[in-house]
Amino acid sequence: MFADRTEIYIRSGKGGDGHVSFRRELFVAAGGPNGGDGGRGGDVIFEVDTGLNTLADYRYTRKFRAEDGENGGKNHCTGRDGEDIILKVPEGTIIRDSATGKVIADMSHQNKREVVLRGGRGGKGNQHYATATMQVPKYAQPGQAALELNVLLELKVIADVGLVGFPNVGKSTFLSRVTNARPKIANYHFTTLNPNLGVVDRPDGKGFVIADIPGLIEGASEGIGLGHEFLRHIERTKVLIHIVDAASAEGRDPLEDIAAINKELTAYSTAILDKPQVIAANKLDLLYGEEKEAAIQHLKDTFEPQGISVFPISAVSGEGVQELLFHVSNLLAAIQEEPIVFEKEFFTDTLEVATEPYSVEYNKEDNVYVVEGPRIEKMLGYTNLDSEKGFEFFQNFLKTNGILEELEKLGIKDGDTVKMYGLQFDYYK
């Protein structure tokens, strides 16, 4: 099965925690704080690799984590930064948030490298929190939490020209003749499971990229067979070459085939059928004389009044192929549209969580539990504890930030005293 759509889990590195330590040297009575900062966590980076054309690397391995930052150390030692993780993808890969379907990044055209999840910032050591009133801070900033996300990778092949048509009409044979691509060719339905890309070199230097889109079946737009998996590859193309079996070698009517395929294209996206389309009436080598003329004329009478050119060709012998390529090259030259790029809809920066340090300790001498730190000081600064709502907010703050849990770990009991920056509270569970 061709891998062009998969879901994976990604996680950036957590920032290393800041360290709490104090200078301890002989003959230095009151050494100051010297805890070092934590290292930065690694980023999750997606990068285009032109040597890839599928997402097969992500079929079995589905969890990817960047390295966490190292914790800070004493004597102002900063922790080592975590290693980034770089995920290689083919050009044309769309990265979406799997929960909402919103686009995080479109890895195509100018966008060759994207940092999707940034690693957490390293926490500050206690050396940064010394003030005139707090000269021995016993707290440091924890490292910023890692960011995690389930993302959907979806490959949309980038090509100027897309080959469409039912299985066994000769698309792979045509591609192998006009480009350096060497697709597998065999006489059975759904031969092509991978969108094969090739470059057409023109004598005038106006070459273009052509993609053999895997064979479609009726009902593809409704997800029958591999329809949805392959229809998405047509979205970025500028011109469609619709290859049909003009000789009806398998008993199929070429007009009915064209109508069926166009119906599927329209059902998937009306914009697709607005693209310029050319009909390549293939397998002329199997027709002779009046039968050959009649088959070609029937196609021309049906489609040329609609502005769709019909070119009789033989992908096996090469008959008519150069005329078709010349016409397609002119169509591409006349198209002035901008490359199709999917706009960013999901911004992973909003996932970041800010952290400020705090410490919870038991002072045995005074028989009080002391809670302090910038996070606590800020909260007390904007909370009116005299109001019922303000005090309720204060209690929720202590609970959601894990402070009550830390007090319970230290063995606090009902009626014990908790001290916070000059304020004292009695603890009751």
Side-chain angles (χ1 to χ4, degrees):
M1 172 64 185
F2 168 59
D4 71 342
R5 184 183 173 93
T6 188
E7 184 174 337
I8 63 173
Y9 165 86
I10 55 176
R11 175 190 177 276
S12 63
K14 175 190 176 299
D17 295 337
H19 190 69
V20 176
S21 61
F22 299 90
R23 184 182 173 194
R24 293 288 182 264
E25 292 182 32
L26 194 62
F27 308 120
V28 179
N34 67 354
D37 300 342
R40 180 188 63 83
D43 297 336
V44 178
I45 302 170
F46 282 83
E47 199 171 85
V48 170
D49 185 338
T50 55
L52 297 176
N53 57 16
T54 78
L55 295 168
D57 290 347
Y58 303 98
R59 186 185 300 175
Y60 302 112
T61 305
R62 294 179 180 267
K63 293 185 177 180
F64 299 90
R65 296 178 173 87
E67 188 181 22
D68 292 342
E70 188 178 41
N71 295 336
K74 60 184 180 181
N75 296 327
H76 308 285
C77 290
T78 300
R80 182 177 61 83
D81 290 344
E83 291 287 335
D84 299 334
I85 184 170
I86 299 177
L87 303 179
K88 305 280 190 177
V89 294
E91 186 170 9
T93 300
I94 309 294
I95 305 168
R96 298 180 186 272
D97 170 46
S98 63
T100 64
K102 291 183 177 181
V103 175
I104 297 172
D106 182 351
M107 306 302 296
S108 64
H109 302 293
Q110 301 304 314
N111 190 26
K112 305 295 186 187
R113 194 173 193 271
E114 176 104 6
V115 179
V116 171
L117 292 182
R118 293 198 176 277
R121 291 187 297 274
K124 294 178 180 178
N126 69 333
Q127 60 177 309
H128 296 279
Y129 295 103
T131 65
T133 56
M134 179 59 68
Q135 297 183 14
V136 285
K138 298 176 182 178
Y139 48 80
Q141 187 180 36
Q144 195 174 36
L147 301 179
E148 57 183 0
L149 203 61
N150 287 308
V151 296
L152 186 66
L153 305 183
E154 183 181 81
L155 177 60
K156 294 177 185 282
V157 170
I158 296 179
D160 301 305
V161 178
L163 301 181
V164 297
F166 270 79
N168 288 349
V169 295
K171 299 193 305 299
S172 296
T173 305
F174 175 80
L175 187 73
S176 65
R177 170 165 287 278
V178 302
T179 74
N180 57 356
R182 292 295 175 263
K184 293 180 180 179
I185 300 170
N187 187 31
Y188 51 86
H189 292 292
F190 259 93
T191 301
T192 307
L193 289 182
N194 294 18
N196 291 297
L197 289 176
V199 178
V200 176
D201 293 320
R202 301 289 300 143
D204 55 7
K206 298 177 181 178
F208 51 88
V209 178
I210 192 167
D212 174 10
I213 307 300
L216 301 175
I217 60 174
E218 291 184 71
S221 59
E222 299 170 6
I224 296 175
L226 300 177
H228 271 154
E229 304 304 312
F230 298 139
L231 279 166
R232 69 172 59 94
H233 296 303
I234 304 173
E235 289 186 82
R236 291 195 197 263
T237 58
K238 299 175 184 177
V239 173
L240 299 180
I241 298 179
H242 200 141
I243 298 185
V244 295
D245 177 3
S248 300
E250 296 191 353
R252 304 186 62 86
D253 183 338
L255 268 65
E256 290 180 1
D257 281 1
I258 293 171
I261 294 298
N262 282 343
K263 179 183 175 182
E264 297 305 321
L265 296 179
T266 306
Y268 180 76
S269 170
T270 54
I272 291 178
L273 212 58
D274 291 336
K275 298 176 185 292
Q277 190 172 157
V278 180
I279 293 174
N282 193 25
K283 302 194 178 181
L284 288 187
D285 51 291
L286 301 180
L287 293 173
Y288 303 93
E290 293 182 2
E291 184 184 18
K292 178 178 179 179
E293 294 295 329
I296 300 304
Q297 194 59 47
H298 187 40
L299 286 167
K300 287 187 174 185
D301 291 343
T302 304
F303 293 102
E304 289 193 342
Q306 303 175 31
I308 300 175
S309 300
V310 177
F311 286 84
I313 69 165
S314 169
V316 173
S317 69
E319 179 184 353
V321 169
Q322 290 305 316
E323 291 82 352
L324 169 63
L325 296 179
F326 181 76
H327 177 74
V328 170
S329 182
N330 288 338
L331 284 177
L332 290 170
I335 296 173
Q336 299 298 324
E337 66 180 24
E338 291 293 319
I340 297 174
V341 177
F342 292 80
E343 294 295 326
K344 191 181 188 76
E345 301 170 323
F346 188 94
F347 297 86
T348 54
D349 291 345
T350 60
L351 299 173
E352 292 187 10
V353 179
T355 57
E356 289 291 344
Y358 67 87
S359 65
V360 180
E361 291 186 339
Y362 174 61
N363 186 321
K364 189 174 181 180
E365 183 178 340
D366 296 332
N367 191 28
V368 296
Y369 291 84
V370 181
V371 180
E372 57 188 24
R375 196 189 312 187
I376 312 301
E377 195 171 17
K378 285 180 182 179
M379 182 274 300
L380 292 174
Y382 58 67
T383 304
N384 180 10
L385 298 179
D386 294 329
S387 72
E388 184 178 344
K389 285 188 176 179
F391 198 77
E392 183 180 349
F393 171 81
F394 166 69
Q395 289 179 308
N396 287 333
F397 175 88
L398 297 181
K399 183 178 180 180
T400 57
N401 282 269
I403 295 169
L404 292 183
E405 185 179 349
E406 292 288 334
L407 288 168
E408 289 171 4
K409 286 181 180 178
L410 291 175
I412 195 169
K413 296 180 178 62
D414 285 356
D416 287 347
T417 302
V418 179
K419 184 178 179 181
M420 298 183 189
Y421 289 95
L423 298 174
Q424 292 195 159
F425 307 90
D426 292 333
Y427 174 82
Y428 289 98
K429 190 169 183 179

